[in-house]
Amino acid sequence: MKNTLFALALASMLCLATTSCRKSTPVTFTGEQDHLIMSVLWFQRSAEMRALFIQGFNIASERLAVAAEVPGNGRPKAVVTDLDETILDNSPFEAWQIHTGGSFSDENWKMWTDMAAAKPLPGALEFTRYAESLGIEVFYVSNRSHDDAFGPTLENMRKFGFPYADSAHLLLKTNTSSKVERRVGILSTHDIVLLIGDNLADVDPAFEKRDDYFGMHGVDSLRQEFGRKYIVMPNPMYGSWVTPALTRGDGLSRRDQHVRSITGINTGQER
Ligand SMILES: [Mg+2]
Protein backbone atom coordinates (compact mmCIF):
# COMPACT_ATOMS: atom_id res chain seq x y z
CA MET A 1 0.00 0.00 0.00
CA LYS A 2 2.81 2.33 0.94
CA ASN A 3 4.49 1.55 -2.37
CA THR A 4 1.28 2.18 -4.27
CA LEU A 5 0.75 5.55 -2.65
CA PHE A 6 4.34 6.51 -3.29
CA ALA A 7 4.07 5.50 -6.92
CA LEU A 8 0.87 7.43 -7.45
CA ALA A 9 2.35 10.46 -5.74
CA LEU A 10 5.44 10.23 -7.95
CA ALA A 11 3.27 9.82 -11.03
CA SER A 12 1.23 12.91 -10.15
CA MET A 13 4.37 14.90 -9.42
CA LEU A 14 5.78 13.95 -12.80
CA CYS A 15 2.44 14.80 -14.39
CA LEU A 16 2.55 18.27 -12.89
CA ALA A 17 6.04 18.72 -14.24
CA THR A 18 5.03 17.83 -17.78
CA THR A 19 2.36 19.03 -20.13
CA SER A 20 1.15 15.72 -21.37
CA CYS A 21 0.04 13.39 -18.63
CA ARG A 22 -3.14 12.35 -20.31
CA LYS A 23 -4.71 10.21 -17.65
CA SER A 24 -3.81 8.26 -14.57
CA THR A 25 -3.01 4.65 -15.35
CA PRO A 26 -3.12 1.61 -13.10
CA VAL A 27 0.23 0.43 -11.86
CA THR A 28 1.27 -3.14 -11.16
CA PHE A 29 3.83 -4.27 -8.66
CA THR A 30 5.79 -7.46 -8.43
CA GLY A 31 8.14 -6.68 -5.61
CA GLU A 32 11.76 -5.78 -5.47
CA GLN A 33 13.64 -4.55 -8.50
CA ASP A 34 16.99 -4.36 -6.75
CA HIS A 35 18.76 -6.05 -9.66
CA LEU A 36 18.43 -2.70 -11.45
CA ILE A 37 20.12 -0.53 -8.84
CA MET A 38 23.75 -0.60 -9.97
CA SER A 39 22.94 -0.38 -13.67
CA VAL A 40 20.61 2.60 -13.19
CA LEU A 41 23.12 4.28 -10.89
CA TRP A 42 25.78 3.82 -13.55
CA PHE A 43 23.50 5.08 -16.31
CA GLN A 44 22.51 8.21 -14.41
CA ARG A 45 25.59 9.12 -12.42
CA SER A 46 28.74 7.84 -14.12
CA ALA A 47 30.65 10.28 -16.29
CA GLU A 48 31.83 7.16 -18.12
CA MET A 49 28.30 6.66 -19.43
CA ARG A 50 28.21 10.25 -20.66
CA ALA A 51 31.61 9.83 -22.31
CA LEU A 52 30.56 6.58 -24.02
CA PHE A 53 27.45 8.15 -25.53
CA ILE A 54 29.41 11.18 -26.72
CA GLN A 55 32.08 8.84 -28.08
CA GLY A 56 29.47 6.82 -29.95
CA PHE A 57 27.86 9.89 -31.50
CA ASN A 58 31.29 11.39 -32.33
CA ILE A 59 32.18 8.25 -34.27
CA ALA A 60 28.72 8.27 -35.86
CA SER A 61 29.25 11.90 -36.96
CA GLU A 62 32.65 11.08 -38.48
CA ARG A 63 31.17 8.16 -40.39
CA LEU A 64 28.33 10.33 -41.60
CA ALA A 65 30.73 12.99 -42.87
CA VAL A 66 32.51 10.29 -44.88
CA ALA A 67 29.23 8.83 -46.17
CA ALA A 68 28.04 12.27 -47.24
CA GLU A 69 31.07 12.58 -49.54
CA VAL A 70 30.55 9.23 -51.24
CA PRO A 71 28.72 9.66 -54.54
CA GLY A 72 25.24 8.22 -54.15
CA ASN A 73 23.18 6.27 -56.62
CA GLY A 74 20.56 8.96 -56.81
CA ARG A 75 18.63 7.82 -53.79
CA PRO A 76 18.65 9.84 -50.56
CA LYS A 77 20.95 8.65 -47.78
CA ALA A 78 19.56 7.81 -44.37
CA VAL A 79 20.52 6.99 -40.81
CA VAL A 80 18.45 4.44 -38.91
CA THR A 81 18.45 4.84 -35.16
CA ASP A 82 16.67 3.23 -32.27
CA LEU A 83 14.98 5.55 -29.75
CA ASP A 84 14.96 4.14 -26.22
CA GLU A 85 18.36 4.15 -24.52
CA THR A 86 19.88 5.32 -27.80
CA ILE A 87 18.26 8.73 -28.34
CA LEU A 88 15.92 9.02 -25.34
CA ASP A 89 16.77 8.37 -21.68
CA ASN A 90 14.18 6.25 -19.90
CA SER A 91 16.28 5.63 -16.81
CA PRO A 92 13.81 7.61 -14.64
CA PHE A 93 11.29 4.86 -15.40
CA GLU A 94 13.84 2.21 -14.38
CA ALA A 95 14.48 4.18 -11.17
CA TRP A 96 10.74 4.34 -10.57
CA GLN A 97 10.66 0.54 -10.67
CA ILE A 98 13.38 0.36 -8.03
CA HIS A 99 11.72 2.97 -5.80
CA THR A 100 8.26 1.41 -5.94
CA GLY A 101 8.71 -2.26 -6.80
CA GLY A 102 6.69 -1.54 -9.93
CA SER A 103 7.42 -4.03 -12.66
CA PHE A 104 7.84 -3.47 -16.35
CA SER A 105 4.39 -3.87 -17.87
CA ASP A 106 2.52 -2.34 -20.80
CA GLU A 107 0.46 -0.24 -18.38
CA ASN A 108 3.42 1.05 -16.40
CA TRP A 109 5.43 1.75 -19.54
CA LYS A 110 2.46 3.66 -20.98
CA MET A 111 2.23 5.71 -17.79
CA TRP A 112 5.83 6.81 -18.47
CA THR A 113 5.63 7.32 -22.23
CA ASP A 114 2.39 9.32 -21.86
CA MET A 115 4.39 11.84 -19.85
CA ALA A 116 6.52 12.59 -22.96
CA ALA A 117 9.29 13.41 -20.50
CA ALA A 118 12.28 11.31 -21.64
CA LYS A 119 15.31 13.54 -22.07
CA PRO A 120 17.79 13.30 -24.95
CA LEU A 121 20.84 11.14 -24.26
CA PRO A 122 24.24 12.86 -24.39
CA GLY A 123 25.15 13.78 -27.96
CA ALA A 124 21.88 12.53 -29.50
CA LEU A 125 20.39 15.88 -30.35
CA GLU A 126 23.64 17.24 -31.75
CA PHE A 127 24.13 14.12 -33.88
CA THR A 128 20.64 14.08 -35.40
CA ARG A 129 20.89 17.81 -36.17
CA TYR A 130 24.27 17.24 -37.76
CA ALA A 131 22.73 14.55 -39.99
CA GLU A 132 20.03 17.02 -40.97
CA SER A 133 22.68 19.64 -41.78
CA LEU A 134 24.28 17.14 -44.19
CA GLY A 135 20.91 16.47 -45.80
CA ILE A 136 20.89 12.90 -44.47
CA GLU A 137 17.48 11.83 -43.18
CA VAL A 138 17.10 10.19 -39.79
CA PHE A 139 14.61 7.37 -39.34
CA TYR A 140 13.68 6.50 -35.75
CA VAL A 141 12.85 2.77 -35.66
CA SER A 142 11.55 1.90 -32.22
CA ASN A 143 9.61 -0.88 -30.56
CA ARG A 144 7.41 1.49 -28.66
CA SER A 145 3.84 0.53 -29.53
CA HIS A 146 2.43 2.57 -32.41
CA ASP A 147 -1.09 2.38 -30.98
CA ASP A 148 -0.10 3.31 -27.44
CA ALA A 149 2.79 5.68 -27.85
CA PHE A 150 2.95 7.37 -31.25
CA GLY A 151 1.45 10.73 -30.23
CA PRO A 152 3.29 11.13 -26.91
CA THR A 153 6.58 10.01 -28.49
CA LEU A 154 6.34 12.62 -31.24
CA GLU A 155 5.48 15.20 -28.60
CA ASN A 156 8.48 14.10 -26.53
CA MET A 157 10.83 14.38 -29.50
CA ARG A 158 9.48 17.72 -30.70
CA LYS A 159 9.72 19.13 -27.18
CA PHE A 160 13.50 18.73 -27.39
CA GLY A 161 13.79 19.77 -31.02
CA PHE A 162 14.76 16.49 -32.71
CA PRO A 163 14.77 16.79 -36.50
CA TYR A 164 12.60 14.51 -38.64
CA ALA A 165 10.13 14.08 -35.78
CA ASP A 166 7.22 13.26 -38.06
CA SER A 167 5.09 10.35 -39.15
CA ALA A 168 7.31 9.56 -42.15
CA HIS A 169 10.39 9.06 -39.98
CA LEU A 170 9.07 7.72 -36.67
CA LEU A 171 8.43 4.01 -37.24
CA LEU A 172 7.02 2.35 -34.15
CA LYS A 173 5.98 -1.27 -33.63
CA THR A 174 2.74 -2.39 -35.21
CA ASN A 175 2.69 -6.17 -35.56
CA THR A 176 6.23 -7.38 -34.97
CA SER A 177 9.14 -6.55 -32.68
CA SER A 178 11.59 -7.40 -35.43
CA LYS A 179 12.87 -4.24 -37.06
CA VAL A 180 13.95 -6.01 -40.24
CA GLU A 181 10.71 -5.30 -42.12
CA ARG A 182 10.80 -1.62 -41.24
CA ARG A 183 14.42 -1.38 -42.38
CA VAL A 184 13.52 -3.10 -45.66
CA GLY A 185 10.80 -0.47 -46.11
CA ILE A 186 13.34 2.32 -45.68
CA LEU A 187 15.76 0.57 -48.06
CA SER A 188 13.11 0.64 -50.78
CA THR A 189 13.54 4.41 -51.04
CA HIS A 190 16.81 5.26 -49.25
CA ASP A 191 20.39 4.09 -48.83
CA ILE A 192 21.01 3.35 -45.17
CA VAL A 193 24.53 4.53 -44.40
CA LEU A 194 24.54 4.09 -40.61
CA LEU A 195 22.59 2.18 -37.96
CA ILE A 196 22.60 3.05 -34.25
CA GLY A 197 21.11 1.24 -31.26
CA ASP A 198 21.62 -0.10 -27.74
CA ASN A 199 20.36 -3.51 -28.84
CA LEU A 200 22.28 -5.46 -31.45
CA ALA A 201 19.08 -6.33 -33.32
CA ASP A 202 18.76 -2.57 -33.94
CA VAL A 203 21.66 -2.83 -36.37
CA ASP A 204 21.73 -6.32 -37.88
CA PRO A 205 19.28 -9.22 -38.37
CA ALA A 206 21.98 -11.66 -37.22
CA PHE A 207 20.93 -10.75 -33.68
CA GLU A 208 17.25 -11.54 -34.00
CA LYS A 209 18.23 -14.73 -32.17
CA ARG A 210 21.10 -15.27 -29.78
CA ASP A 211 21.45 -19.03 -29.80
CA ASP A 212 25.06 -18.80 -30.84
CA TYR A 213 26.94 -18.20 -27.58
CA PHE A 214 24.80 -15.22 -26.48
CA GLY A 215 25.25 -13.58 -29.89
CA MET A 216 28.97 -13.13 -29.32
CA HIS A 217 29.96 -15.15 -32.37
CA GLY A 218 27.72 -12.87 -34.43
CA VAL A 219 29.59 -9.86 -33.06
CA ASP A 220 32.92 -11.48 -33.95
CA SER A 221 31.84 -12.27 -37.49
CA LEU A 222 30.61 -8.68 -37.99
CA ARG A 223 33.54 -7.04 -36.23
CA GLN A 224 34.40 -4.89 -39.27
CA GLU A 225 31.03 -3.13 -39.06
CA PHE A 226 31.22 -1.86 -35.47
CA GLY A 227 32.35 1.75 -35.31
CA ARG A 228 31.86 1.90 -39.07
CA LYS A 229 28.33 1.18 -40.21
CA TYR A 230 27.04 0.01 -36.81
CA ILE A 231 27.23 2.16 -33.68
CA VAL A 232 26.23 0.46 -30.40
CA MET A 233 25.37 2.40 -27.25
CA PRO A 234 25.73 1.02 -23.71
CA ASN A 235 22.63 -0.15 -21.83
CA PRO A 236 23.26 -2.28 -18.74
CA MET A 237 19.66 -1.91 -17.49
CA TYR A 238 17.77 -4.19 -19.87
CA GLY A 239 17.83 -5.57 -23.39
CA SER A 240 17.77 -8.68 -25.52
CA TRP A 241 21.02 -9.75 -23.89
CA VAL A 242 19.38 -10.52 -20.53
CA THR A 243 17.20 -13.57 -21.09
CA PRO A 244 19.74 -15.67 -23.03
CA ALA A 245 22.34 -14.81 -20.40
CA LEU A 246 20.39 -16.29 -17.51
CA THR A 247 20.81 -19.89 -16.42
CA ARG A 248 17.34 -21.27 -15.91
CA GLY A 249 16.25 -22.95 -12.73
CA ASP A 250 12.77 -23.79 -11.48
CA GLY A 251 11.82 -21.82 -8.42
CA LEU A 252 15.02 -19.80 -8.38
CA SER A 253 14.78 -16.16 -7.39
CA ARG A 254 15.85 -13.61 -9.93
CA ARG A 255 18.95 -12.95 -7.83
CA ASP A 256 19.89 -16.63 -7.82
CA GLN A 257 19.39 -16.87 -11.57
CA HIS A 258 21.72 -13.93 -12.03
CA VAL A 259 24.32 -15.33 -9.65
CA ARG A 260 24.26 -18.76 -11.31
CA SER A 261 24.86 -17.12 -14.67
CA ILE A 262 28.11 -15.36 -13.91
CA THR A 263 31.59 -16.81 -13.88
CA GLY A 264 34.00 -16.30 -11.02
CA ILE A 265 37.00 -17.92 -9.41
CA ASN A 266 36.44 -21.07 -7.39
CA THR A 267 37.49 -20.61 -3.78
CA GLY A 268 34.99 -22.98 -2.16
CA GLN A 269 33.32 -20.02 -0.44
CA GLU A 270 30.50 -19.45 -2.93
CA ARG A 271 27.02 -18.77 -1.54
MG1 LIG B 1 16.71 0.71 -27.35
Side-chain angles (χ1 to χ4, degrees):
M1 184 62 186
K2 194 174 159 197
N3 274 346
T4 310
L5 289 173
F6 178 78
L8 292 173
L10 178 69
S12 5
M13 265 162 46
L14 288 168
C15 281
L16 286 174
T18 62
T19 53
S20 59
C21 201
R22 287 164 177 77
K23 61 180 182 180
S24 61
T25 350
V27 290
T28 52
F29 300 91
T30 57
E32 61 88 13
Q33 302 286 342
D34 287 358
H35 60 288
L36 290 171
I37 292 174
M38 279 299 284
S39 55
V40 174
L41 184 66
W42 183 85
F43 206 79
Q44 294 190 339
R45 292 287 178 262
S46 75
E48 283 78 3
M49 174 277 192
R50 187 172 185 80
L52 280 169
F53 267 86
I54 289 172
Q55 177 174 280
F57 283 120
N58 278 349
I59 296 169
S61 297
E62 283 179 17
R63 301 308 300 167
L64 219 50
V66 171
E69 293 300 315
V70 175
N73 56 10
R75 301 195 314 166
K77 292 168 181 163
V79 173
V80 168
T81 181
D82 173 53
L83 267 187
D84 295 318
E85 277 48 79
T86 298
I87 292 289
L88 295 177
D89 179 1
N90 300 290
S91 66
F93 175 68
E94 303 296 315
W96 174 86
Q97 291 178 64
I98 295 166
H99 289 151
T100 64
S103 57
F104 184 91
S105 66
D106 289 347
E107 294 76 18
N108 291 346
W109 177 242
K110 188 173 186 318
M111 174 192 76
W112 164 244
T113 56
D114 274 357
M115 293 176 188
K119 292 183 177 154
L121 282 157
L125 201 49
E126 295 85 346
F127 169 75
T128 51
R129 287 178 176 170
Y130 178 63
E132 184 184 38
S133 77
L134 295 175
I136 297 181
E137 292 177 48
V138 181
F139 287 88
Y140 303 95
V141 180
S142 162
N143 277 343
R144 288 187 176 202
S145 156
H146 180 87
D147 289 346
D148 287 349
F150 185 79
T153 301
L154 264 191
E155 179 185 335
N156 195 155
M157 296 173 71
R158 287 174 177 167
K159 186 187 293 179
F160 290 102
F162 279 101
Y164 302 109
D166 55 48
S167 57
H169 295 85
L170 178 61
L171 306 179
L172 302 189
K173 180 172 79 173
T174 51
N175 55 358
T176 172
S177 295
S178 169
K179 297 182 174 180
V180 172
E181 214 173 275
R182 281 169 278 171
R183 289 198 295 263
V184 168
I186 296 165
L187 280 169
S188 69
T189 52
H190 291 69
D191 281 343
I192 298 175
V193 295
L194 198 64
L195 298 105
I196 312 175
D198 65 302
N199 204 328
L200 287 168
D202 294 331
V203 298
D204 195 286
F207 303 103
E208 294 289 312
K209 291 203 171 108
R210 301 213 179 190
D211 306 342
D212 190 9
Y213 194 50
F214 314 113
M216 298 207 194
H217 291 156
V219 170
D220 288 346
S221 66
L222 289 164
R223 65 169 61 230
Q224 297 303 321
E225 302 290 0
F226 294 105
R228 292 192 174 87
K229 190 171 182 184
Y230 300 162
I231 306 292
V232 182
M233 298 304 190
N235 178 6
M237 301 180 292
Y238 67 87
S240 298
W241 61 272
V242 177
T243 301
L246 295 182
T247 307
R248 300 276 171 200
D250 286 342
L252 283 181
S253 68
R254 182 147 37 187
R255 178 197 177 278
D256 286 347
Q257 280 190 47
H258 288 189
V259 171
R260 269 168 53 129
S261 308
I262 54 179
T263 308
I265 59 172
N266 185 1
T267 63
Q269 297 170 318
E270 291 73 29
R271 295 191 285 140

